[in-house]
Amino acid sequence: APGFGRGAGGGAGAADQRFRAGRSTGPDLERLPELVQEVVRVTLATGPRGARRGAEAARAGLLTAGEVLSEAQPLLARGDLEGLGRLAPSVLRRLFERLGATYVKLGQFIASSPTLFPPEYVEEFAKCLDRAPPVPWAEIERVLVADLGRPVDEVFEFIDRTPLATASVAQVHRATLRGSGRDVAVKVLKPGVEDVLTADLNFIYVTARTLEFLAPELARTSLSAVVSDIRESMLEEVDLNKEARNIEEFQRFLDTTGLGSVAKVPVVFKNATSTRVLTTEFIDGVSLTDLDALEGYVPNPEATLINALNTWFASVLGAESFHADVHAGNLLALRDGRVAFIDFGIVGRVPPVIWGAVEALLLALPAGDYDTTARALVQMGATDTQVDIEAFARDLKEVFAQAEALDASLDVVLVESPPGAGAGPGGAGATAAASVSFDEAQVNRLLLEIVRVSDGYGLKLPREFGLLVKQILYFDKYVRLLAPDLQVLDDERVNLPRSGYGGAPGAGPPAGGSFGAGGVAYN
């Protein structure tokens, strides 16, 4: 059975080392003037947006409070304090969804950061849905005209006023470019989303700084540093020029390595792209998990998957950044056998030493070498204690045994055929459509277990490791689905990048299996 060596992220390691020396029991009054200055600066930068956003937040809070009261009353009546505690993550997740763009993104960050947040919140926020009604066309048109500096019909010969997709931050419309006639996808930021993010993130940052001042021991968790990183990355996400650059950098990587023959990214049309508008080639492809659509669409699904694996692996060390959200919607199989990577809103950068530890895991796990696995995790984790490698290896063996449960479920749906159509496998007048679904909660639970065990030995794993391993877990699923007999680490068609940091002693070539732990495996 397949399975990948997995790890989880942290991000607080450096802060842990800085603040381990001692804990303060009260505020450091010498730092009060610095805090006041920063609060004033951020408040002035936020301006009147803060007041407007405060009113919206109050409404969301009242609606959620009403729900909480009705759900909590029966628990209070029978004195079920544990039940009240279990209710808290759900309440916070619903509040975040009501608060919109910033908090939905923050919820997704919580779900992808098991080393930073309690497991019950990580699992609950995995359900955080980025759903939002589409903005009326008239408002989208105003953004297009303001950002592109021309009437819409001078840029696009046609644009569908009904969006292909919509989320809290942006929505996407299909269009045809004037002049070239190219079929394109136009991603447009929703009006006012920058103001909402700025006000929300400034408030969250000030709150984090204040909490660290009032409770200095929180500085050990690097709370304000984590919030500052979130703030910076989210504000980058509302600059679509940045996403355009991510795509172009990846295209240069494909050109330089010759991987353009097996993979592609959408072309960016700069004359129709700006801070709030991103116009790219519309790529017509099929999701790697849509078995019904893949049949007959690509000549060899396994070869397409290997193309995706080789391209992504090579990008981890060879590109400016790697695609850090390779779920099924962002990897498309093309008719010519290539794979398309789309949506570069989330990218990652991993130091070679972290990839080296992943490399050691991939080599050690298929052979059941948990001692080397443990040493690789210790190598990348921040700790000030001596780790019992033998005991750590035993605990990891139990955790990775759970990888066997990371199986995809095949969904076969019988669809009625139109009158006169031939009978399908489901009987007269019916055809079968197959697709594969995966339990994302399983992936999160496995990552949380690794974090829990590592934390028990005083290890704080870097968040980048979790982000990297999450993508490997996605690939693990695709291998199980499309090429269950593929020996990823043994197959000469698969090129695993070498960092020079991996291959810890004792980690010989894999004995078989897909990716590790007996098989393969991002906001």
Side-chain angles (χ1 to χ4, degrees), residues 169-447:
V169 169
Q171 58 192 56
V172 180
H173 294 257
R174 192 166 181 176
T176 304
L177 279 177
R178 184 165 295 283
S180 68
R182 294 288 297 269
D183 198 10
V184 295
V186 185
K187 183 176 182 178
V188 187
L189 289 187
K190 292 184 173 180
V193 72
E194 306 102 308
D195 286 347
V196 170
L197 259 67
T198 299
D200 287 352
L201 292 169
N202 285 350
F203 170 75
I204 293 169
Y205 177 69
V206 166
T207 301
R209 287 300 310 273
T210 304
L211 287 173
E212 283 190 343
F213 172 75
L214 295 174
E217 62 270 18
L218 286 175
R220 291 184 67 254
T221 68
S222 196
L223 178 62
S224 64
V226 170
V227 170
S228 181
D229 287 345
I230 297 171
R231 185 167 164 238
E232 184 178 338
S233 63
M234 283 192 190
L235 290 176
E236 275 190 1
E237 199 171 334
V238 293
D239 179 359
L240 295 182
N241 277 319
K242 177 63 177 174
E243 183 173 347
R245 288 193 292 273
N246 291 340
I247 296 172
E248 290 174 332
E249 286 171 357
F250 205 85
Q251 180 61 62
R252 284 193 292 273
F253 157 73
L254 294 178
D255 293 340
T256 302
T257 57
L259 287 168
S261 61
V262 298
K264 76 165 288 163
V265 293
V267 175
V268 175
F269 296 96
K270 290 186 177 180
N271 62 342
T273 292
S274 64
T275 301
R276 296 189 294 170
V277 180
L278 173 61
T279 302
T280 61
E281 169 190 11
F282 180 84
I283 294 181
D284 192 11
V286 172
S287 166
L288 291 181
T289 60
D290 191 340
L291 297 183
D292 193 55
L294 277 173
E295 186 177 355
Y297 186 83
V298 294
N300 185 342
E302 180 176 313
T304 298
L305 174 60
I306 289 172
N307 291 338
L309 280 166
N310 284 336
T311 302
W312 186 83
F313 274 143
S315 72
V316 170
L317 293 183
E320 290 284 331
S321 57
F322 64 87
H323 196 301
D325 194 19
V326 292
H327 65 70
N330 287 341
L331 280 183
L332 301 178
L334 306 181
R335 287 191 182 277
D336 61 6
R338 290 186 297 169
V339 62
F341 290 77
I342 64 172
D343 192 349
F344 279 75
I346 303 176
V347 296
R349 295 171 181 84
V350 172
V353 67
I354 292 180
W355 175 253
V358 176
E359 182 186 336
L361 291 177
L362 297 183
L363 293 171
L365 285 169
D369 184 358
Y370 293 99
D371 183 82
T372 296
T373 301
R375 292 180 189 281
L377 289 172
V378 170
Q379 175 186 335
M380 81 171 71
T383 181
D384 62 354
T385 61
Q386 186 68 33
V387 176
D388 183 340
I389 296 293
E390 188 176 337
F392 189 24
R394 284 197 302 269
D395 288 344
L396 286 172
K397 182 177 181 179
E398 291 183 17
V399 169
F400 282 107
Q402 299 175 33
E404 300 299 328
L406 279 177
D407 290 323
S409 62
L410 178 65
D411 299 325
V412 180
V413 181
L414 294 182
V415 182
E416 286 298 317
S417 301
T431 58
S435 65
V436 169
S437 62
F438 298 108
D439 183 359
E440 289 296 322
Q442 286 184 346
V443 175
N444 280 326
R445 280 195 292 271
L446 184 57
L447 286 171

Side-chain angles (χ1 to χ4, degrees), residues 5 28 47 63 94 135 140 143 159 164 262 289 297 306 322 329 337 429 496 515:
D28 181 357
L63 284 171
R94 282 177 280 169
V135 169
I140 293 296
V143 174
I159 186 165
L164 277 173
V262 298
T289 60
Y297 186 83
I306 289 172
F322 64 87
L496 189 70
F515 254 116

Side-chain angles (χ1 to χ4, degrees), residues 450-467:
I450 296 168
V451 172
R452 181 187 63 78
V453 170
S454 299
D455 191 61
Y457 289 89
L459 287 171
K460 296 295 182 185
L461 300 173
R463 183 175 183 269
E464 296 93 334
F465 185 52
L467 183 67

